[in-house]
mmCIF file of all heavy atoms in Angstrom:
data_model
loop_
_atom_site.group_PDB
_atom_site.id
_atom_site.type_symbol
_atom_site.label_atom_id
_atom_site.label_comp_id
_atom_site.label_asym_id
_atom_site.label_seq_id
_atom_site.Cartn_x
_atom_site.Cartn_y
_atom_site.Cartn_z
ATOM 1 N N LEU G 68 -11.867 11.135 6.282
ATOM 2 C CA LEU G 68 -10.447 11.263 6.307
ATOM 3 C C LEU G 68 -9.960 12.790 6.355
ATOM 4 O O LEU G 68 -8.758 13.053 6.777
ATOM 5 C CB LEU G 68 -9.879 10.621 5.050
ATOM 6 C CG LEU G 68 -10.080 9.124 4.850
ATOM 7 C CD1 LEU G 68 -9.326 8.659 3.610
ATOM 8 C CD2 LEU G 68 -9.613 8.360 6.099
ATOM 9 N N GLN G 69 -10.823 13.685 5.944
ATOM 10 C CA GLN G 69 -10.293 15.093 5.948
ATOM 11 C C GLN G 69 -11.208 16.012 6.783
ATOM 12 O O GLN G 69 -10.735 16.609 7.739
ATOM 13 C CB GLN G 69 -10.284 15.542 4.483
ATOM 14 C CG GLN G 69 -9.764 16.943 4.341
ATOM 15 C CD GLN G 69 -9.529 17.247 2.873
ATOM 16 O OE1 GLN G 69 -8.794 16.543 2.105
ATOM 17 N NE2 GLN G 69 -10.077 18.302 2.350
ATOM 18 N N GLU G 70 -12.470 16.220 6.399
ATOM 19 C CA GLU G 70 -13.230 17.393 7.061
ATOM 20 C C GLU G 70 -13.466 17.130 8.507
ATOM 21 O O GLU G 70 -13.441 18.021 9.292
ATOM 22 C CB GLU G 70 -14.577 17.422 6.307
ATOM 23 C CG GLU G 70 -14.440 17.874 4.871
ATOM 24 C CD GLU G 70 -15.777 17.876 4.050
ATOM 25 O OE1 GLU G 70 -16.717 17.247 4.683
ATOM 26 O OE2 GLU G 70 -15.836 18.397 3.048
ATOM 27 N N ASN G 71 -13.747 15.908 8.950
ATOM 28 C CA ASN G 71 -13.980 15.566 10.347
ATOM 29 C C ASN G 71 -13.023 14.662 10.841
ATOM 30 O O ASN G 71 -13.431 13.771 11.718
ATOM 31 C CB ASN G 71 -15.422 15.139 10.497
ATOM 32 C CG ASN G 71 -15.915 15.255 11.976
ATOM 33 O OD1 ASN G 71 -15.371 16.116 12.776
ATOM 34 N ND2 ASN G 71 -16.840 14.438 12.310
ATOM 35 N N HIS G 72 -11.774 14.640 10.375
ATOM 36 C CA HIS G 72 -10.785 13.622 10.708
ATOM 37 C C HIS G 72 -10.490 13.493 12.214
ATOM 38 O O HIS G 72 -10.169 12.438 12.701
ATOM 39 C CB HIS G 72 -9.477 13.823 9.951
ATOM 40 C CG HIS G 72 -8.788 15.071 10.396
ATOM 41 N ND1 HIS G 72 -7.812 14.947 11.420
ATOM 42 C CD2 HIS G 72 -8.844 16.298 10.110
ATOM 43 C CE1 HIS G 72 -7.296 16.158 11.649
ATOM 44 N NE2 HIS G 72 -7.885 17.080 10.846
ATOM 45 N N ARG G 73 -10.730 14.632 12.982
ATOM 46 C CA ARG G 73 -10.382 14.578 14.376
ATOM 47 C C ARG G 73 -11.361 13.630 15.153
ATOM 48 O O ARG G 73 -11.064 13.206 16.297
ATOM 49 C CB ARG G 73 -10.386 15.897 14.969
ATOM 50 C CG ARG G 73 -9.174 16.904 14.444
ATOM 51 C CD ARG G 73 -9.200 18.188 15.196
ATOM 52 N NE ARG G 73 -8.203 19.084 14.619
ATOM 53 C CZ ARG G 73 -6.875 18.968 14.914
ATOM 54 N NH1 ARG G 73 -6.482 18.073 15.792
ATOM 55 N NH2 ARG G 73 -6.027 19.824 14.371
ATOM 56 N N ASN G 74 -12.533 13.455 14.547
ATOM 57 C CA ASN G 74 -13.491 12.496 15.174
ATOM 58 C C ASN G 74 -13.191 11.021 14.918
ATOM 59 O O ASN G 74 -13.814 10.199 15.522
ATOM 60 C CB ASN G 74 -14.866 12.852 14.758
ATOM 61 C CG ASN G 74 -15.951 12.045 15.496
ATOM 62 O OD1 ASN G 74 -15.923 12.071 16.722
ATOM 63 N ND2 ASN G 74 -16.806 11.383 14.872
ATOM 64 N N TYR G 75 -12.199 10.719 14.013
ATOM 65 C CA TYR G 75 -11.974 9.350 13.624
ATOM 66 C C TYR G 75 -10.496 8.939 13.893
ATOM 67 O O TYR G 75 -9.654 9.414 13.254
ATOM 68 C CB TYR G 75 -12.314 9.207 12.123
ATOM 69 C CG TYR G 75 -13.838 9.378 11.952
ATOM 70 C CD1 TYR G 75 -14.285 10.596 11.517
ATOM 71 C CD2 TYR G 75 -14.631 8.306 12.097
ATOM 72 C CE1 TYR G 75 -15.656 10.796 11.303
ATOM 73 C CE2 TYR G 75 -16.000 8.470 11.860
ATOM 74 C CZ TYR G 75 -16.551 9.670 11.542
ATOM 75 O OH TYR G 75 -17.867 9.918 11.312
ATOM 76 N N THR G 76 -10.443 8.118 14.980
ATOM 77 C CA THR G 76 -9.084 7.697 15.464
ATOM 78 C C THR G 76 -8.685 6.391 14.779
ATOM 79 O O THR G 76 -9.494 5.687 14.261
ATOM 80 C CB THR G 76 -9.125 7.535 16.963
ATOM 81 O OG1 THR G 76 -7.857 6.999 17.414
ATOM 82 C CG2 THR G 76 -10.197 6.535 17.371
ATOM 83 N N LYS G 77 -7.326 6.141 14.788
ATOM 84 C CA LYS G 77 -6.880 4.910 14.294
ATOM 85 C C LYS G 77 -6.794 3.831 15.398
ATOM 86 O O LYS G 77 -6.161 2.818 15.238
ATOM 87 C CB LYS G 77 -5.404 5.088 13.762
ATOM 88 C CG LYS G 77 -5.315 6.020 12.620
ATOM 89 C CD LYS G 77 -3.963 6.117 11.965
ATOM 90 C CE LYS G 77 -3.754 5.045 10.993
ATOM 91 N NZ LYS G 77 -2.528 5.313 10.178
ATOM 92 N N ALA G 78 -7.491 4.041 16.524
ATOM 93 C CA ALA G 78 -7.554 3.065 17.681
ATOM 94 C C ALA G 78 -8.529 1.930 17.224
ATOM 95 O O ALA G 78 -9.616 1.840 17.737
ATOM 96 C CB ALA G 78 -7.981 3.698 18.997
ATOM 97 N N THR G 79 -8.141 1.195 16.240
ATOM 98 C CA THR G 79 -8.973 0.068 15.664
ATOM 99 C C THR G 79 -8.182 -1.222 15.817
ATOM 100 O O THR G 79 -7.006 -1.248 16.059
ATOM 101 C CB THR G 79 -9.305 0.315 14.304
ATOM 102 O OG1 THR G 79 -8.184 0.201 13.448
ATOM 103 C CG2 THR G 79 -9.995 1.676 14.036
ATOM 104 N N PHE G 80 -8.990 -2.255 15.697
ATOM 105 C CA PHE G 80 -8.371 -3.661 15.767
ATOM 106 C C PHE G 80 -7.323 -3.796 14.697
ATOM 107 O O PHE G 80 -6.267 -4.333 14.970
ATOM 108 C CB PHE G 80 -9.464 -4.702 15.512
ATOM 109 C CG PHE G 80 -9.064 -6.076 15.701
ATOM 110 C CD1 PHE G 80 -8.510 -6.487 16.877
ATOM 111 C CD2 PHE G 80 -9.268 -7.019 14.698
ATOM 112 C CE1 PHE G 80 -8.144 -7.835 17.083
ATOM 113 C CE2 PHE G 80 -8.869 -8.385 14.864
ATOM 114 C CZ PHE G 80 -8.300 -8.742 16.095
ATOM 115 N N GLN G 81 -7.525 -3.306 13.490
ATOM 116 C CA GLN G 81 -6.524 -3.394 12.384
ATOM 117 C C GLN G 81 -5.218 -2.794 12.810
ATOM 118 O O GLN G 81 -4.126 -3.370 12.638
ATOM 119 C CB GLN G 81 -7.126 -2.681 11.202
ATOM 120 C CG GLN G 81 -6.144 -2.673 10.061
ATOM 121 C CD GLN G 81 -6.547 -1.705 8.850
ATOM 122 O OE1 GLN G 81 -7.096 -0.700 9.223
ATOM 123 N NE2 GLN G 81 -6.146 -1.976 7.669
ATOM 124 N N TYR G 82 -5.251 -1.503 13.360
ATOM 125 C CA TYR G 82 -4.033 -0.873 13.688
ATOM 126 C C TYR G 82 -3.301 -1.377 14.899
ATOM 127 O O TYR G 82 -2.188 -1.248 15.107
ATOM 128 C CB TYR G 82 -4.247 0.641 13.778
ATOM 129 C CG TYR G 82 -4.463 1.267 12.386
ATOM 130 C CD1 TYR G 82 -5.752 1.700 11.958
ATOM 131 C CD2 TYR G 82 -3.403 1.400 11.423
ATOM 132 C CE1 TYR G 82 -5.978 2.184 10.689
ATOM 133 C CE2 TYR G 82 -3.604 1.952 10.227
ATOM 134 C CZ TYR G 82 -4.919 2.363 9.855
ATOM 135 O OH TYR G 82 -5.104 2.850 8.563
ATOM 136 N N ARG G 83 -4.175 -1.942 15.847
ATOM 137 C CA ARG G 83 -3.542 -2.552 16.992
ATOM 138 C C ARG G 83 -2.754 -3.687 16.616
ATOM 139 O O ARG G 83 -1.641 -3.955 17.112
ATOM 140 C CB ARG G 83 -4.702 -2.951 17.980
ATOM 141 C CG ARG G 83 -4.108 -3.558 19.278
ATOM 142 C CD ARG G 83 -5.294 -3.855 20.295
ATOM 143 N NE ARG G 83 -6.087 -4.983 19.786
ATOM 144 C CZ ARG G 83 -5.782 -6.266 19.907
ATOM 145 N NH1 ARG G 83 -4.577 -6.634 20.350
ATOM 146 N NH2 ARG G 83 -6.584 -7.218 19.501
ATOM 147 N N LEU G 84 -3.305 -4.503 15.646
ATOM 148 C CA LEU G 84 -2.556 -5.648 15.161
ATOM 149 C C LEU G 84 -1.232 -5.153 14.418
ATOM 150 O O LEU G 84 -0.221 -5.842 14.585
ATOM 151 C CB LEU G 84 -3.384 -6.473 14.268
ATOM 152 C CG LEU G 84 -4.519 -7.239 14.966
ATOM 153 C CD1 LEU G 84 -5.425 -7.959 13.920
ATOM 154 C CD2 LEU G 84 -3.967 -8.420 15.817
#
Side-chain angles (χ1 to χ4, degrees):
L68 297 185
Q69 182 170 303
E70 293 173 348
N71 198 26
H72 69 91
R73 293 186 184 279
N74 188 53
Y75 293 94
T76 175
K77 297 185 87 170
T79 68
F80 187 56
Q81 178 195 28
Y82 288 105
R83 183 176 68 77
L84 288 173

